Amino acid sequence: MRSKFFYTNLLFGCAAVIITVAAPAHRGLFMALLLLAYSLVLAAGCSFIAWDFFLKSQNTLPTSPVKQIALTFDDGPIAHSTVILDILQHYNVKASFFLVGQNVAQNPQIAQRMQADGHVIGNHSMNHGHLINLKLTRGTEAEINACNAVIQKHIGITPTLYRPPHGVVTHHLAWALARTGLRSVGWSIRSFDTASKDADALLARLQKQLHDGAIILLHDYCPITAVVLPRFIEHAHAQGYEFVTV
């Protein structure tokens, strides 16, 4: 199935031909405007994973006869991850953890506990660098393979799920995932726990956005997330939701 990126290129390519043929006198102006519009569309396609612009990501859970939601945690494992694991264990909730390879190498016992506790382990790149989204296909593929190798070494499994760092997707990522066979996982609720300072406000935001089939993005290194998590789990249970993994 062709991506939205493919059809966007086709559409703008046709528009460029029409401008060249129908408006040669104003070609420079119209082509500049067309290029600006194309750049804005690409930027939005990179930034909003739910658009499925370059590739198809799982942003919600499959339809189920019961109300289900999934907790996902990015950027671990670190020491604070154990606080999250203790909370999940207390409430008998399973979650999905998207791990950074270098953190797995530094905290293998915590990663092993995640697996032993029955949580799903996903790939979140080897280094999660700020410039990772500028890498070409082979560089992105190397990040994915290196992370999977570290997880395989310390946990004994090879992840099949990938959460793009920063939620940014590109055509190079699409090609890298096609080559490695991993499936992209996004979200339908972004908590913004990394920027939150008020636990009550964070909880209220999560409660307001809660919906059946939600995949919720959280981070296990954020102290505020550990504060809010028990209250959110209790609220979701009271609303009749079942917690599942992606």
Side-chain angles (χ1 to χ4, degrees):
M1 182 178 179
R2 300 289 189 180
S3 68
K4 295 175 183 176
F5 177 54
F6 171 84
Y7 290 110
T8 297
N9 287 337
L10 185 62
L11 175 64
F12 277 88
C14 292
V17 172
I18 292 172
I19 289 172
T20 300
V21 173
H26 303 286
R27 179 184 175 188
L29 174 61
F30 287 145
M31 291 296 276
L33 292 174
L34 186 67
L35 179 60
L36 175 61
Y38 180 70
S39 300
L40 291 174
V41 170
L42 289 191
C46 290
S47 302
F48 298 102
I49 194 170
W51 278 23
D52 291 335
F53 187 76
F54 295 100
L55 73 161
K56 177 67 177 176
S57 296
Q58 181 185 354
N59 301 307
T60 58
L61 296 171
T63 302
S64 170
V66 298
K67 294 181 3 179
Q68 294 182 332
I69 56 176
L71 298 175
T72 66
F73 296 89
D74 285 7
D75 297 352
I78 64 167
H80 191 264
S81 301
T82 59
V83 179
I84 299 295
L85 290 171
D86 288 343
I87 294 170
L88 295 175
Q89 185 177 59
H90 175 78
Y91 288 98
N92 193 29
V93 167
K94 305 304 179 187
S96 304
F97 288 85
F98 291 90
L99 306 184
V100 176
Q102 64 179 7
N103 291 343
V104 174
Q106 294 170 5
N107 302 284
Q109 297 87 353
I110 300 175
Q112 290 161 8
R113 179 185 169 185
M114 290 173 175
Q115 168 71 4
D117 284 358
H119 304 295
V120 166
I121 304 298
N123 184 317
H124 197 41
S125 81
M126 183 63 190
N127 298 301
H128 201 297
H130 293 299
L131 301 180
I132 185 173
N133 300 307
L134 299 180
K135 291 190 175 184
L136 302 182
T137 303
R138 291 194 179 278
T140 303
E141 184 179 355
E143 282 271 349
I144 294 171
N145 286 334
C147 181
N148 263 11
V150 170
I151 292 175
Q152 172 63 40
K153 174 183 177 181
H154 292 288
I155 308 179
I157 63 167
T158 301
T160 59
L161 304 178
Y162 182 77
R163 168 70 57 73
H166 316 295
V168 174
V169 290
T170 66
H171 61 289
H172 291 294
L173 173 61
W175 292 336
L177 290 180
R179 291 165 63 100
T180 56
L182 272 69
R183 176 164 56 90
S184 175
V185 177
W187 57 80
S188 62
I189 298 178
R190 186 170 191 169
S191 66
F192 292 101
D193 53 348
T194 56
S196 296
K197 305 297 182 184
D198 186 322
D200 290 335
L202 174 57
L203 177 62
R205 182 163 59 249
L206 289 171
Q207 291 174 341
K208 181 179 180 180
Q209 297 183 65
L210 186 60
H211 64 88
D212 187 21
I215 296 178
I216 304 167
L217 169 61
L218 299 161
H219 297 80
D220 42 323
Y221 69 84
C222 295
I224 195 171
T225 304
V227 173
V228 167
L229 187 58
R231 297 160 62 189
F232 177 71
I233 291 174
E234 291 172 3
H235 170 80
H237 278 154
Q239 297 298 313
Y241 286 98
E242 175 184 89
F243 286 90
V244 298
T245 57
V246 296

Short mmCIF file of all heavy atoms in Angstrom, two decimals, residues 61-124:
data_model
loop_
_atom_site.label_atom_id
_atom_site.label_comp_id
_atom_site.label_asym_id
_atom_site.label_seq_id
_atom_site.Cartn_x
_atom_site.Cartn_y
_atom_site.Cartn_z
N LEU A 61 -5.50 0.87 20.10
CA LEU A 61 -5.63 -0.57 20.24
C LEU A 61 -6.68 -1.10 19.27
O LEU A 61 -7.59 -0.37 18.86
CB LEU A 61 -6.04 -0.93 21.67
CG LEU A 61 -5.03 -0.57 22.76
CD1 LEU A 61 -5.66 -0.78 24.14
CD2 LEU A 61 -3.75 -1.40 22.63
N PRO A 62 -6.61 -2.38 18.93
CA PRO A 62 -7.67 -2.98 18.11
C PRO A 62 -9.01 -2.92 18.83
O PRO A 62 -9.07 -2.89 20.06
CB PRO A 62 -7.20 -4.43 17.93
CG PRO A 62 -5.73 -4.41 18.23
CD PRO A 62 -5.53 -3.33 19.24
N THR A 63 -10.08 -2.91 18.07
CA THR A 63 -11.42 -2.89 18.65
C THR A 63 -11.65 -4.13 19.50
O THR A 63 -11.29 -5.24 19.12
CB THR A 63 -12.48 -2.83 17.53
OG1 THR A 63 -12.25 -1.66 16.74
CG2 THR A 63 -13.88 -2.77 18.12
N SER A 64 -12.24 -3.92 20.68
CA SER A 64 -12.48 -5.02 21.61
C SER A 64 -13.87 -4.87 22.21
O SER A 64 -14.38 -3.75 22.35
CB SER A 64 -11.43 -4.98 22.73
OG SER A 64 -11.75 -5.88 23.77
N PRO A 65 -14.51 -5.99 22.58
CA PRO A 65 -15.84 -5.90 23.20
C PRO A 65 -15.80 -5.28 24.60
O PRO A 65 -16.83 -4.87 25.13
CB PRO A 65 -16.30 -7.36 23.26
CG PRO A 65 -15.05 -8.17 23.18
CD PRO A 65 -14.11 -7.38 22.33
N VAL A 66 -14.60 -5.21 25.20
CA VAL A 66 -14.46 -4.57 26.51
C VAL A 66 -13.61 -3.32 26.36
O VAL A 66 -12.83 -3.19 25.41
CB VAL A 66 -13.83 -5.53 27.54
CG1 VAL A 66 -14.72 -6.74 27.76
CG2 VAL A 66 -12.43 -5.97 27.10
N LYS A 67 -13.76 -2.38 27.29
CA LYS A 67 -12.99 -1.13 27.24
C LYS A 67 -11.54 -1.40 27.64
O LYS A 67 -11.28 -1.87 28.74
CB LYS A 67 -13.62 -0.09 28.15
CG LYS A 67 -15.01 0.34 27.68
CD LYS A 67 -15.70 1.40 28.51
CE LYS A 67 -15.06 2.00 29.63
NZ LYS A 67 -15.85 3.04 30.34
N GLN A 68 -10.61 -1.09 26.74
CA GLN A 68 -9.21 -1.37 26.98
C GLN A 68 -8.36 -0.13 26.71
O GLN A 68 -8.65 0.67 25.82
CB GLN A 68 -8.72 -2.51 26.07
CG GLN A 68 -9.36 -3.85 26.36
CD GLN A 68 -8.81 -4.95 25.47
OE1 GLN A 68 -8.36 -4.69 24.36
NE2 GLN A 68 -8.82 -6.17 25.96
N ILE A 69 -7.28 -0.02 27.48
CA ILE A 69 -6.28 1.02 27.27
C ILE A 69 -4.90 0.41 27.50
O ILE A 69 -4.77 -0.63 28.15
CB ILE A 69 -6.48 2.24 28.19
CG1 ILE A 69 -6.49 1.80 29.67
CG2 ILE A 69 -7.74 2.99 27.83
CD1 ILE A 69 -6.59 2.99 30.63
N ALA A 70 -3.87 1.06 26.97
CA ALA A 70 -2.51 0.57 27.12
C ALA A 70 -1.60 1.68 27.62
O ALA A 70 -1.59 2.78 27.06
CB ALA A 70 -1.99 0.02 25.79
N LEU A 71 -0.85 1.38 28.66
CA LEU A 71 0.19 2.29 29.16
C LEU A 71 1.50 1.97 28.45
O LEU A 71 1.89 0.80 28.37
CB LEU A 71 0.37 2.13 30.66
CG LEU A 71 -0.82 2.45 31.57
CD1 LEU A 71 -0.47 2.12 33.02
CD2 LEU A 71 -1.22 3.92 31.43
N THR A 72 2.17 2.99 27.94
CA THR A 72 3.49 2.79 27.36
C THR A 72 4.46 3.78 28.00
O THR A 72 4.11 4.92 28.27
CB THR A 72 3.49 3.00 25.83
OG1 THR A 72 3.19 4.36 25.52
CG2 THR A 72 2.44 2.10 25.17
N PHE A 73 5.67 3.30 28.24
CA PHE A 73 6.69 4.11 28.91
C PHE A 73 7.94 4.16 28.04
O PHE A 73 8.45 3.12 27.61
CB PHE A 73 7.03 3.54 30.28
CG PHE A 73 5.90 3.55 31.26
CD1 PHE A 73 5.02 2.48 31.34
CD2 PHE A 73 5.70 4.65 32.09
CE1 PHE A 73 3.95 2.50 32.24
CE2 PHE A 73 4.65 4.66 33.00
CZ PHE A 73 3.77 3.59 33.07
N ASP A 74 8.46 5.35 27.80
CA ASP A 74 9.63 5.55 26.96
C ASP A 74 10.88 5.91 27.77
O ASP A 74 10.78 6.45 28.88
CB ASP A 74 9.39 6.69 25.96
CG ASP A 74 8.47 6.27 24.83
OD1 ASP A 74 7.90 5.17 24.88
OD2 ASP A 74 8.32 7.08 23.88
N ASP A 75 12.03 5.61 27.20
CA ASP A 75 13.36 6.15 27.58
C ASP A 75 14.08 5.39 28.67
O ASP A 75 15.21 5.76 29.02
CB ASP A 75 13.27 7.63 27.97
CG ASP A 75 12.82 8.52 26.82
OD1 ASP A 75 12.72 8.01 25.69
OD2 ASP A 75 12.56 9.71 27.06
N GLY A 76 13.48 4.37 29.26
CA GLY A 76 14.17 3.60 30.28
C GLY A 76 15.11 2.58 29.64
O GLY A 76 15.33 2.59 28.43
N PRO A 77 15.64 1.67 30.48
CA PRO A 77 15.47 1.63 31.93
C PRO A 77 16.50 2.50 32.66
O PRO A 77 17.65 2.56 32.27
CB PRO A 77 15.70 0.15 32.25
CG PRO A 77 16.70 -0.29 31.21
CD PRO A 77 16.37 0.49 29.98
N ILE A 78 16.02 3.16 33.72
CA ILE A 78 16.90 3.88 34.63
C ILE A 78 16.49 3.49 36.05
O ILE A 78 15.51 2.76 36.24
CB ILE A 78 16.82 5.40 34.43
CG1 ILE A 78 15.41 5.91 34.77
CG2 ILE A 78 17.20 5.79 33.01
CD1 ILE A 78 15.34 7.41 34.89
N ALA A 79 17.20 4.00 37.04
CA ALA A 79 16.92 3.63 38.42
C ALA A 79 15.46 3.92 38.80
O ALA A 79 14.82 3.13 39.49
CB ALA A 79 17.87 4.37 39.36
N HIS A 80 14.93 5.06 38.33
CA HIS A 80 13.57 5.44 38.70
C HIS A 80 12.52 4.51 38.08
O HIS A 80 11.37 4.49 38.53
CB HIS A 80 13.29 6.88 38.28
CG HIS A 80 12.01 7.44 38.83
ND1 HIS A 80 10.83 7.45 38.11
CD2 HIS A 80 11.71 7.97 40.04
CE1 HIS A 80 9.87 7.98 38.85
NE2 HIS A 80 10.39 8.30 40.02
N SER A 81 12.91 3.74 37.08
CA SER A 81 11.97 2.80 36.46
C SER A 81 11.43 1.81 37.48
O SER A 81 10.30 1.32 37.34
CB SER A 81 12.64 2.04 35.32
OG SER A 81 13.13 2.92 34.33
N THR A 82 12.22 1.50 38.51
CA THR A 82 11.76 0.52 39.50
C THR A 82 10.56 1.04 40.29
O THR A 82 9.72 0.25 40.74
CB THR A 82 12.90 0.17 40.48
OG1 THR A 82 13.35 1.36 41.14
CG2 THR A 82 14.06 -0.47 39.73
N VAL A 83 10.47 2.36 40.45
CA VAL A 83 9.30 2.94 41.13
C VAL A 83 8.05 2.67 40.31
O VAL A 83 7.01 2.27 40.85
CB VAL A 83 9.50 4.45 41.35
CG1 VAL A 83 8.28 5.06 42.03
CG2 VAL A 83 10.76 4.73 42.15
N ILE A 84 8.13 2.86 39.01
CA ILE A 84 7.01 2.58 38.12
C ILE A 84 6.68 1.10 38.14
O ILE A 84 5.50 0.71 38.20
CB ILE A 84 7.35 3.03 36.68
CG1 ILE A 84 7.62 4.54 36.63
CG2 ILE A 84 6.23 2.63 35.72
CD1 ILE A 84 6.44 5.41 36.98
N LEU A 85 7.70 0.26 38.10
CA LEU A 85 7.47 -1.19 38.12
C LEU A 85 6.78 -1.63 39.41
O LEU A 85 5.90 -2.50 39.38
CB LEU A 85 8.80 -1.93 37.95
CG LEU A 85 9.44 -1.83 36.55
CD1 LEU A 85 10.84 -2.41 36.58
CD2 LEU A 85 8.58 -2.53 35.52
N ASP A 86 7.15 -1.03 40.52
CA ASP A 86 6.51 -1.37 41.80
C ASP A 86 5.03 -1.00 41.78
O ASP A 86 4.17 -1.76 42.27
CB ASP A 86 7.20 -0.65 42.95
CG ASP A 86 8.59 -1.21 43.26
OD1 ASP A 86 8.88 -2.34 42.81
OD2 ASP A 86 9.37 -0.51 43.93
N ILE A 87 4.71 0.15 41.21
CA ILE A 87 3.31 0.59 41.13
C ILE A 87 2.52 -0.36 40.23
O ILE A 87 1.41 -0.80 40.60
CB ILE A 87 3.22 2.03 40.60
CG1 ILE A 87 3.85 3.01 41.59
CG2 ILE A 87 1.77 2.42 40.31
CD1 ILE A 87 4.03 4.42 41.04
N LEU A 88 3.06 -0.69 39.09
CA LEU A 88 2.37 -1.59 38.17
C LEU A 88 2.17 -2.96 38.80
O LEU A 88 1.10 -3.58 38.65
CB LEU A 88 3.16 -1.71 36.87
CG LEU A 88 3.30 -0.44 36.03
CD1 LEU A 88 4.22 -0.68 34.84
CD2 LEU A 88 1.93 0.05 35.55
N GLN A 89 3.17 -3.42 39.53
CA GLN A 89 3.07 -4.71 40.20
C GLN A 89 1.98 -4.68 41.27
O GLN A 89 1.20 -5.64 41.42
CB GLN A 89 4.42 -5.09 40.81
CG GLN A 89 4.47 -6.48 41.43
CD GLN A 89 5.86 -6.80 41.95
OE1 GLN A 89 6.40 -6.09 42.80
NE2 GLN A 89 6.46 -7.86 41.43
N HIS A 90 1.90 -3.58 42.00
CA HIS A 90 0.90 -3.45 43.06
C HIS A 90 -0.52 -3.54 42.50
O HIS A 90 -1.40 -4.17 43.12
CB HIS A 90 1.09 -2.11 43.79
CG HIS A 90 0.03 -1.84 44.81
ND1 HIS A 90 0.01 -2.43 46.06
CD2 HIS A 90 -1.06 -1.02 44.78
CE1 HIS A 90 -1.03 -2.01 46.74
NE2 HIS A 90 -1.70 -1.14 45.98
N TYR A 91 -0.73 -2.94 41.33
CA TYR A 91 -2.07 -2.94 40.73
C TYR A 91 -2.27 -4.07 39.71
O TYR A 91 -3.33 -4.15 39.09
CB TYR A 91 -2.34 -1.59 40.06
CG TYR A 91 -2.56 -0.46 41.04
CD1 TYR A 91 -1.51 0.40 41.37
CD2 TYR A 91 -3.79 -0.26 41.64
CE1 TYR A 91 -1.70 1.45 42.27
CE2 TYR A 91 -3.99 0.78 42.53
CZ TYR A 91 -2.94 1.63 42.85
OH TYR A 91 -3.15 2.66 43.74
N ASN A 92 -1.26 -4.92 39.58
CA ASN A 92 -1.31 -6.03 38.62
C ASN A 92 -1.65 -5.53 37.21
O ASN A 92 -2.50 -6.08 36.51
CB ASN A 92 -2.33 -7.08 39.06
CG ASN A 92 -2.19 -8.39 38.27
OD1 ASN A 92 -1.10 -8.73 37.83
ND2 ASN A 92 -3.29 -9.10 38.10
N VAL A 93 -0.94 -4.48 36.81
CA VAL A 93 -1.13 -3.88 35.48
C VAL A 93 0.11 -4.17 34.64
O VAL A 93 1.24 -3.98 35.10
CB VAL A 93 -1.35 -2.36 35.58
CG1 VAL A 93 -1.24 -1.69 34.21
CG2 VAL A 93 -2.71 -2.07 36.20
N LYS A 94 -0.12 -4.63 33.42
CA LYS A 94 0.98 -4.84 32.48
C LYS A 94 1.06 -3.65 31.53
O LYS A 94 0.04 -3.09 31.12
CB LYS A 94 0.76 -6.13 31.67
CG LYS A 94 0.54 -7.37 32.53
CD LYS A 94 1.68 -7.60 33.51
CE LYS A 94 1.41 -8.85 34.36
NZ LYS A 94 2.41 -9.01 35.44
N ALA A 95 2.28 -3.28 31.18
CA ALA A 95 2.50 -2.12 30.31
C ALA A 95 3.51 -2.49 29.22
O ALA A 95 4.00 -3.62 29.16
CB ALA A 95 3.01 -0.94 31.14
N SER A 96 3.80 -1.53 28.37
CA SER A 96 4.79 -1.71 27.31
C SER A 96 5.90 -0.69 27.51
O SER A 96 5.63 0.52 27.62
CB SER A 96 4.14 -1.53 25.93
OG SER A 96 3.04 -2.42 25.78
N PHE A 97 7.14 -1.15 27.57
CA PHE A 97 8.30 -0.30 27.79
C PHE A 97 9.14 -0.24 26.52
O PHE A 97 9.60 -1.28 26.03
CB PHE A 97 9.14 -0.82 28.95
CG PHE A 97 8.52 -0.61 30.30
CD1 PHE A 97 7.60 -1.53 30.81
CD2 PHE A 97 8.83 0.49 31.07
CE1 PHE A 97 7.02 -1.35 32.05
CE2 PHE A 97 8.26 0.69 32.32
CZ PHE A 97 7.34 -0.23 32.81
N PHE A 98 9.36 0.96 26.03
CA PHE A 98 10.22 1.17 24.86
C PHE A 98 11.57 1.65 25.36
O PHE A 98 11.71 2.77 25.85
CB PHE A 98 9.57 2.15 23.89
CG PHE A 98 8.34 1.57 23.23
CD1 PHE A 98 7.09 1.73 23.82
CD2 PHE A 98 8.45 0.84 22.07
CE1 PHE A 98 5.96 1.17 23.24
CE2 PHE A 98 7.34 0.27 21.48
CZ PHE A 98 6.08 0.44 22.05
N LEU A 99 12.57 0.77 25.23
CA LEU A 99 13.85 0.96 25.90
C LEU A 99 14.92 1.53 24.98
O LEU A 99 14.97 1.23 23.78
CB LEU A 99 14.33 -0.39 26.45
CG LEU A 99 13.34 -1.14 27.35
CD1 LEU A 99 14.01 -2.40 27.90
CD2 LEU A 99 12.84 -0.26 28.48
N VAL A 100 15.78 2.35 25.56
CA VAL A 100 16.94 2.90 24.88
C VAL A 100 18.11 1.94 25.12
O VAL A 100 18.41 1.59 26.26
CB VAL A 100 17.26 4.31 25.40
CG1 VAL A 100 18.53 4.84 24.75
CG2 VAL A 100 16.09 5.25 25.13
N GLY A 101 18.77 1.55 24.05
CA GLY A 101 19.81 0.53 24.15
C GLY A 101 20.90 0.85 25.14
O GLY A 101 21.32 -0.01 25.92
N GLN A 102 21.40 2.08 25.14
CA GLN A 102 22.49 2.42 26.06
C GLN A 102 22.02 2.35 27.52
O GLN A 102 22.82 2.04 28.42
CB GLN A 102 23.04 3.81 25.75
CG GLN A 102 22.07 4.96 25.94
CD GLN A 102 22.71 6.31 25.62
OE1 GLN A 102 23.84 6.37 25.14
NE2 GLN A 102 21.98 7.38 25.91
N ASN A 103 20.75 2.60 27.77
CA ASN A 103 20.22 2.48 29.13
C ASN A 103 20.07 1.02 29.54
O ASN A 103 20.25 0.68 30.72
CB ASN A 103 18.88 3.21 29.25
CG ASN A 103 19.02 4.71 29.13
OD1 ASN A 103 20.12 5.25 29.28
ND2 ASN A 103 17.91 5.39 28.87
N VAL A 104 19.75 0.17 28.59
CA VAL A 104 19.69 -1.27 28.88
C VAL A 104 21.08 -1.77 29.27
O VAL A 104 21.23 -2.55 30.22
CB VAL A 104 19.16 -2.04 27.66
CG1 VAL A 104 19.23 -3.56 27.92
CG2 VAL A 104 17.72 -1.64 27.35
N ALA A 105 22.09 -1.33 28.54
CA ALA A 105 23.46 -1.76 28.83
C ALA A 105 23.90 -1.31 30.22
O ALA A 105 24.66 -2.01 30.90
CB ALA A 105 24.41 -1.21 27.77
N GLN A 106 23.42 -0.15 30.65
CA GLN A 106 23.80 0.39 31.95
C GLN A 106 22.95 -0.17 33.09
O GLN A 106 23.40 -0.19 34.24
CB GLN A 106 23.69 1.92 31.93
CG GLN A 106 24.68 2.59 30.99
CD GLN A 106 24.39 4.07 30.79
OE1 GLN A 106 23.50 4.63 31.42
NE2 GLN A 106 25.14 4.72 29.91
N ASN A 107 21.73 -0.59 32.79
CA ASN A 107 20.81 -1.08 33.83
C ASN A 107 20.16 -2.39 33.40
O ASN A 107 18.92 -2.49 33.32
CB ASN A 107 19.73 -0.02 34.10
CG ASN A 107 20.29 1.31 34.52
OD1 ASN A 107 20.73 1.50 35.65
ND2 ASN A 107 20.28 2.27 33.58
N PRO A 108 20.96 -3.41 33.13
CA PRO A 108 20.38 -4.66 32.62
C PRO A 108 19.42 -5.34 33.59
O PRO A 108 18.43 -5.95 33.16
CB PRO A 108 21.61 -5.53 32.35
CG PRO A 108 22.68 -4.97 33.24
CD PRO A 108 22.42 -3.49 33.28
N GLN A 109 19.69 -5.23 34.91
CA GLN A 109 18.82 -5.90 35.87
C GLN A 109 17.41 -5.32 35.85
O GLN A 109 16.43 -6.05 36.03
CB GLN A 109 19.41 -5.78 37.29
CG GLN A 109 20.76 -6.46 37.47
CD GLN A 109 21.92 -5.54 37.11
OE1 GLN A 109 21.73 -4.43 36.61
NE2 GLN A 109 23.14 -6.01 37.37
N ILE A 110 17.30 -4.01 35.63
CA ILE A 110 15.98 -3.39 35.58
C ILE A 110 15.24 -3.83 34.32
O ILE A 110 14.04 -4.13 34.36
CB ILE A 110 16.10 -1.85 35.64
CG1 ILE A 110 16.78 -1.43 36.94
CG2 ILE A 110 14.72 -1.21 35.52
CD1 ILE A 110 17.05 0.06 37.04
N ALA A 111 15.95 -3.89 33.21
CA ALA A 111 15.35 -4.36 31.97
C ALA A 111 14.89 -5.81 32.12
O ALA A 111 13.81 -6.19 31.64
CB ALA A 111 16.34 -4.23 30.82
N GLN A 112 15.70 -6.60 32.79
CA GLN A 112 15.33 -8.00 33.02
C GLN A 112 14.09 -8.11 33.90
O GLN A 112 13.23 -8.98 33.69
CB GLN A 112 16.50 -8.74 33.67
CG GLN A 112 17.68 -8.94 32.73
CD GLN A 112 18.98 -9.24 33.44
OE1 GLN A 112 19.01 -9.45 34.67
NE2 GLN A 112 20.07 -9.27 32.70
N ARG A 113 13.96 -7.23 34.88
CA ARG A 113 12.77 -7.25 35.72
C ARG A 113 11.52 -6.89 34.90
O ARG A 113 10.46 -7.48 35.10
CB ARG A 113 12.91 -6.28 36.90
CG ARG A 113 11.65 -6.29 37.76
CD ARG A 113 11.64 -5.29 38.88
NE ARG A 113 10.31 -5.20 39.46
CZ ARG A 113 9.95 -4.35 40.39
NH1 ARG A 113 10.83 -3.48 40.89
NH2 ARG A 113 8.70 -4.33 40.85
N MET A 114 11.65 -5.92 34.00
CA MET A 114 10.51 -5.56 33.14
C MET A 114 10.00 -6.79 32.41
O MET A 114 8.79 -7.04 32.35
CB MET A 114 10.93 -4.48 32.14
CG MET A 114 11.20 -3.13 32.76
SD MET A 114 11.89 -1.96 31.54
CE MET A 114 11.95 -0.45 32.51
N GLN A 115 10.93 -7.54 31.84
CA GLN A 115 10.56 -8.76 31.13
C GLN A 115 9.97 -9.79 32.08
O GLN A 115 8.93 -10.40 31.79
CB GLN A 115 11.79 -9.31 30.41
CG GLN A 115 11.64 -10.72 29.87
CD GLN A 115 10.73 -10.81 28.68
OE1 GLN A 115 10.24 -9.79 28.19
NE2 GLN A 115 10.48 -12.02 28.20
N ALA A 116 10.60 -9.99 33.23
CA ALA A 116 10.14 -10.99 34.20
C ALA A 116 8.76 -10.66 34.75
O ALA A 116 7.98 -11.56 35.07
CB ALA A 116 11.16 -11.12 35.33
N ASP A 117 8.45 -9.37 34.87
CA ASP A 117 7.15 -8.95 35.39
C ASP A 117 6.03 -9.07 34.36
O ASP A 117 4.87 -8.78 34.67
CB ASP A 117 7.23 -7.50 35.89
CG ASP A 117 7.93 -7.39 37.23
OD1 ASP A 117 8.32 -8.42 37.79
OD2 ASP A 117 8.09 -6.25 37.73
N GLY A 118 6.37 -9.45 33.14
CA GLY A 118 5.35 -9.68 32.13
C GLY A 118 5.03 -8.50 31.24
O GLY A 118 4.01 -8.51 30.54
N HIS A 119 5.89 -7.48 31.25
CA HIS A 119 5.66 -6.31 30.41
C HIS A 119 6.23 -6.55 29.00
O HIS A 119 7.14 -7.35 28.81
CB HIS A 119 6.30 -5.08 31.04
CG HIS A 119 5.82 -4.80 32.42
ND1 HIS A 119 4.51 -4.46 32.70
CD2 HIS A 119 6.47 -4.82 33.62
CE1 HIS A 119 4.37 -4.27 34.00
NE2 HIS A 119 5.54 -4.49 34.59
N VAL A 120 5.69 -5.84 28.04
CA VAL A 120 6.19 -5.92 26.66
C VAL A 120 7.41 -5.00 26.53
O VAL A 120 7.41 -3.88 27.05
CB VAL A 120 5.08 -5.50 25.66
CG1 VAL A 120 5.66 -5.24 24.28
CG2 VAL A 120 4.00 -6.57 25.60
N ILE A 121 8.42 -5.48 25.84
CA ILE A 121 9.64 -4.72 25.63
C ILE A 121 9.72 -4.30 24.17
O ILE A 121 9.62 -5.13 23.26
CB ILE A 121 10.89 -5.55 25.98
CG1 ILE A 121 10.81 -6.05 27.44
CG2 ILE A 121 12.15 -4.73 25.75
CD1 ILE A 121 10.76 -4.96 28.47
N GLY A 122 9.90 -2.99 23.95
CA GLY A 122 10.04 -2.46 22.60
C GLY A 122 11.35 -1.72 22.44
O GLY A 122 12.07 -1.43 23.41
N ASN A 123 11.67 -1.39 21.21
CA ASN A 123 12.90 -0.71 20.83
C ASN A 123 12.65 0.79 20.72
O ASN A 123 11.67 1.21 20.11
CB ASN A 123 13.36 -1.30 19.48
CG ASN A 123 14.69 -0.77 18.99
OD1 ASN A 123 14.98 0.41 19.06
ND2 ASN A 123 15.49 -1.66 18.43
N HIS A 124 13.54 1.59 21.32
CA HIS A 124 13.40 3.05 21.26
C HIS A 124 14.71 3.70 20.81
O HIS A 124 15.01 4.82 21.21
CB HIS A 124 12.97 3.58 22.63
CG HIS A 124 12.41 4.97 22.62
ND1 HIS A 124 11.54 5.43 21.65
CD2 HIS A 124 12.59 6.02 23.48
CE1 HIS A 124 11.21 6.69 21.91
NE2 HIS A 124 11.85 7.08 23.00
#
